[in-house]
Amino acid sequence: AGSSGTDNWLKLALDPSGNAYITGNTDGSLGGAISGAMDVFFAKYNSAGVLQFIKQIGASTPGLPAPAWQYNPQIQIDTARSK
């Protein structure tokens, strides 16, 4: 999946079943409206490499700097399901 803008795939995590979870940022649309100068996204691919979902989130206000999470989104798999 990709937009017509600049997409940055920043973090990757794999669960025990081989599903891939990816975070990044984009200045284009990944199926939804772009909400700021740079939006973050979260995507899941199954173990066969098929996209399961992608969610794009933005919170920038024109004239204000974007929050740091928009440029370095993090991801971690909780295999113990503790949270």
Side-chain angles (χ1 to χ4, degrees), residues 4-58:
S4 61
T6 301
D7 304 325
N8 300 299
W9 300 75
L10 300 174
K11 303 292 180 188
L12 169 71
L14 299 174
D15 70 17
S17 299
N19 298 306
Y21 300 85
I22 302 167
T23 63
N25 55 42
T26 183
D27 64 2
S29 173
L30 294 168
I34 184 136
S35 299
M38 185 69 65
D39 288 357
V40 297
F41 65 84
F42 176 69
K44 177 186 177 183
Y45 289 82
N46 68 16
S47 60
V50 177
L51 179 65
Q52 300 298 291
F53 65 81
I54 191 161
K55 178 69 177 169
Q56 181 173 346
I57 305 165

Side-chain angles (χ1 to χ4, degrees), residues 13-16 19 21 75-80:
L14 299 174
D15 70 17
N19 298 306
Y21 300 85
I75 189 168
Q76 182 175 353
I77 303 298
D78 183 7
T79 57

